[in-house]
Structures are given as C-alpha cells and as structure tokens.
Amino acid sequence: MARRAHFLAANAGKRAPMPGFVLLVRPRDDGDPAMRIGYTVTKKIGNAVVRNRMKRRLRALARDVLPESGVRGADHVLIGRAGGVERDFAQLRGELAKALAKVAR
C-alpha cells in the first residue's frame, strides 16, 4: 500500500493489538483476492535507524506469516510499537499468527 487514503481506510477495519505491533485488517470487497500490506513506524519508536530496523522486521514477519494465514482480499497494516525492536523474532511470528486468528473471527 502506498497511498495515505488506503492506510486511513484500513484504520476503520478490525484491530488486533499485540506487544510488538498493532495489526489492522480491512476487507476491500472489490473481488480481488490479493492481499495488500502496509507498514507504519512513528518517530516515537526512535530515530531513523531504529525505525528502519523495525520496518525490516515487520516486512520479514509479513513474508513469513501472511501468505498462509493472511485474510484474502484485504488490506493489512502493521504498526510498529516500541517493544517490537527488542522482541525475539519467533515471538513476533507467534503474535502475528495469534493476531490474524483474532481478526479472522
């Protein structure tokens, strides 16, 4: 996702807060089964180096988990939290799987 309007629309969808990130999921209802993903990390998390590291972790996490567990035809937004940079990657992967299960209900 590249446009601000898509991120704002996803904010109206379902929300699953986790210790390392917040997951937003909103079905697009346009008939396209493709999943779109967006990442947001604010300046509250840290300087540019820390924010970019967090975005890289979120991208890797999405590549691992979303193809098999993501919601088809929906926009997914991962919002980084301060605790996400130090968390173990396996722990983040488990949290994303849990968040996707929560949103799919």
Side-chain angles (χ1 to χ4, degrees):
M1 294 180 3
R3 296 183 50 213
R4 184 173 191 266
H6 297 150
F7 284 86
L8 292 175
N11 198 30
K14 293 184 179 180
R15 175 180 301 263
M18 293 289 147
F21 58 87
V22 176
L23 174 68
L24 306 175
V25 177
R26 179 180 165 269
R28 288 192 310 272
D29 298 327
D30 61 358
D32 185 12
M35 291 183 275
R36 292 192 308 190
I37 182 78
Y39 310 95
T40 302
V41 181
T42 65
K43 287 186 176 182
K44 286 190 227 177
I45 304 302
N47 62 13
V49 174
V50 174
R51 292 194 311 267
N52 286 332
R53 181 167 185 241
M54 186 66 199
K55 279 191 263 185
R56 284 193 306 271
R57 290 182 67 128
L58 291 176
R59 281 188 204 108
L61 190 63
R63 270 193 306 273
D64 280 355
V65 179
L66 282 184
E68 59 270 356
S69 301
V71 179
R72 300 273 175 226
D75 290 340
H76 299 72
V77 176
L78 285 168
I79 303 170
R81 283 186 157 177
V85 176
E86 301 90 26
R87 292 182 84 74
D88 183 45
F89 192 75
Q91 198 172 17
L92 284 175
R93 187 180 301 126
E95 289 173 359
L96 183 55
K98 181 178 174 184
L100 285 167
K102 178 180 174 184
V103 168
R105 285 190 250 148

